[in-house]
Amino acid sequence: MQAGDLEAAHALSLAVHWPHRLADWQAAFALGGGLVAERDGELVGTTLVWPWGPTHATLGLVIVAPRCQGRRIGYRLMQAALAQLGEACCVLLHATAEGRGLYERLGFVRTGEVRQHQGTAGSAPLVALDGGWRLRPSDHNDVVSLIELDTRARGMPREALITELLGHADTVVLDYEGQARGFGMLRRFGRGLIIGPVVAPDAEGAKALIAHLVGLSAGKFVRIDVDFDSGLTEWLETLGLLRVDAPTEMVRGGPLVKRPEARLFSLATQALG
């Protein structure tokens, strides 16, 4: 994939009813690389890969033009992408129901589920925090701490992603006695805004971060992709964010090693993880 392919890739995502803007494709491509499939000079398939250090990667935006599906184009794109990463690489992706069988044939195993919630955000009652805990805006002194929290929660070192997102997202920090213990981000994506990643030590901390960011978004279209095991799905629906999809988290060459003091409650995007 080259920068000149991005407009055609964006058109392909629109053809399969994905909400990405051209700016979302450009941002994703800037963080990694990808492969395209062409037929008679026309782009008919895509996949993007984001290496995080020498041993981890995420893979996403795997799309085949509807008229070309069933011809093993997606399989060959995936094979080529995985060959570039090598057998020793631990690769994460989030599969649609249609793609799960393909990924299983390539050696991916199910490790969890995600619930995609979206809608016009309502007013969000603030979540009370125990003594010593507070929410505050992030500043430049938080960069290293937030990268470390994301690494512990996601199980892979995504310094480039967190650094990039900090440049344009509204970021709030969950602070305990002067130490960053979690964070949440809000930024432009797709049809409106997206909340994520959200990292916190527990569900109450995650709720406090999400409620604050939903409050900033009241009356606007908001999306959030949460870990199903987080127990947040019913609570999110009370905020006007209804469940619309349930992708499967899959890993090849895993498992991802996560730290218990930080948990990833919502994704940056389904593609980026």
Side-chain angles (χ1 to χ4, degrees):
M1 181 177 285
Q2 301 174 359
D5 295 316
L6 294 178
E7 289 192 6
H10 175 234
L12 197 60
S13 62
L14 294 177
V16 296
H17 309 294
W18 289 10
H20 300 70
R21 305 168 300 152
L22 177 59
D24 299 327
W25 275 94
Q26 292 167 336
F29 180 68
L31 286 165
L35 296 166
V36 300
E38 292 185 341
R39 181 185 181 193
D40 297 329
E42 180 185 5
L43 188 147
V44 296
T46 63
T47 185
L48 264 69
V49 178
W50 299 274
W52 310 119
T55 58
H56 294 85
T58 48
L59 192 152
L61 291 172
V62 182
I63 308 175
V64 176
R67 68 185 182 282
C68 296
Q69 292 176 5
R71 302 183 183 183
R72 294 175 61 84
I73 293 172
Y75 184 83
R76 283 180 281 176
L77 280 168
M78 286 289 298
Q79 275 191 317
L82 292 171
Q84 287 186 351
L85 293 170
E87 289 294 327
C89 189
C90 176
V91 186
L92 167 75
L93 60 78
H94 291 89
T96 62
E98 296 79 10
R100 181 171 171 177
L102 163 64
Y103 304 133
E104 287 174 341
R105 291 193 294 275
L106 289 164
F108 285 85
V109 297
R110 177 191 175 279
T111 53
E113 293 185 19
V114 171
R115 293 294 184 266
Q116 179 184 333
H117 289 256
Q118 63 187 41
T120 301
S123 59
L126 296 180
V127 175
L129 295 169
D130 292 336
W133 293 86
R134 67 186 178 104
L135 299 183
R136 60 170 175 81
S138 68
D139 61 38
H140 67 277
N141 294 318
D142 293 314
V143 175
V144 173
S145 296
L146 301 194
I147 291 169
E148 290 178 353
L149 284 167
D150 179 75
T151 299
R152 295 170 189 168
R154 180 70 281 181
M156 55 179 69
R158 306 190 299 177
E159 179 178 352
L161 172 63
I162 301 304
T163 301
E164 171 64 23
L165 294 181
L166 283 168
H168 59 269
D170 289 326
T171 304
V172 60
V173 173
L174 178 64
D175 182 290
Y176 179 66
E177 296 185 347
Q179 180 182 3
R181 297 289 298 278
F183 68 93
M185 293 183 169
L186 173 72
R187 68 190 192 282
R188 184 79 171 85
F189 178 83
R191 294 170 56 187
L193 303 171
I194 190 168
I195 295 173
V198 172
V199 173
D202 53 36
E204 287 307 301
K207 284 183 178 181
L209 289 163
I210 293 168
H212 175 80
L213 295 173
V214 169
L216 296 180
S217 314
K220 299 178 181 178
F221 183 87
V222 174
R223 169 176 171 172
I224 183 170
D225 299 273
V226 296
D227 178 4
F228 174 66
D229 290 335
S230 67
L232 298 182
T233 55
E234 291 185 4
W235 175 74
L236 286 169
E237 292 190 341
T238 69
L239 304 182
L241 304 179
L242 304 183
R243 196 194 86 176
V244 297
D245 200 6
T248 301
E249 180 182 283
M250 305 186 78
V251 172
R252 180 180 188 262
L256 293 169
V257 179
K258 304 172 187 179
R259 300 280 293 276
E261 68 271 16
R263 178 173 178 181
L264 185 71
F265 282 85
S266 81
L267 308 179
T269 66
Q270 284 184 24
L272 288 163

